Amino acid sequence: FSKVFYGFSRQATGDLWLSGFTVSLGGQEIEIRGKLLDAAKLPGYVQRLGLDPAFQGRRFAALI
């Protein structure tokens, strides 16, 4: 799963804290937990993740 974690690190910003990960179904499902200082930046972060090579072919199903 190192490609995925490198993908998260490439998209990190100074106001984002990833605090937990759950990987299941052999890496088919990944849940991330964290905080942002400005919640309005979350859609942009998710969009950047979707463009990162580590996440090609994956989709983000929910934001909670």
Side-chain angles (χ1 to χ4, degrees), residues 5 10 16 20-21 25 28-30 38 44-45 49 54-55 57-58 61-62 64:
F5 290 110
R10 280 191 294 271
L16 168 74
F21 299 89
L25 296 174
Q28 294 299 311
E29 291 187 4
I30 302 171
D38 181 359
Y45 173 70
L49 285 178
F55 299 99
R58 296 180 186 265
I64 300 173

Side-chain angles (χ1 to χ4, degrees), residues 2-12 44-60:
S2 61
K3 283 185 186 180
V4 171
F5 290 110
Y6 281 126
F8 285 125
S9 69
R10 280 191 294 271
Q11 301 308 322
Y45 173 70
V46 173
Q47 182 178 27
R48 288 191 313 278
L49 285 178
L51 297 173
D52 192 282
F55 299 99
Q56 294 299 307
R58 296 180 186 265
R59 70 180 189 85
F60 297 90

Side-chain angles (χ1 to χ4, degrees), residues 9-32:
S9 69
R10 280 191 294 271
Q11 301 308 322
T13 61
D15 58 351
L16 168 74
W17 293 270
L18 296 179
S19 59
F21 299 89
T22 302
V23 179
S24 59
L25 296 174
Q28 294 299 311
E29 291 187 4
I30 302 171
E31 175 185 301
I32 60 173

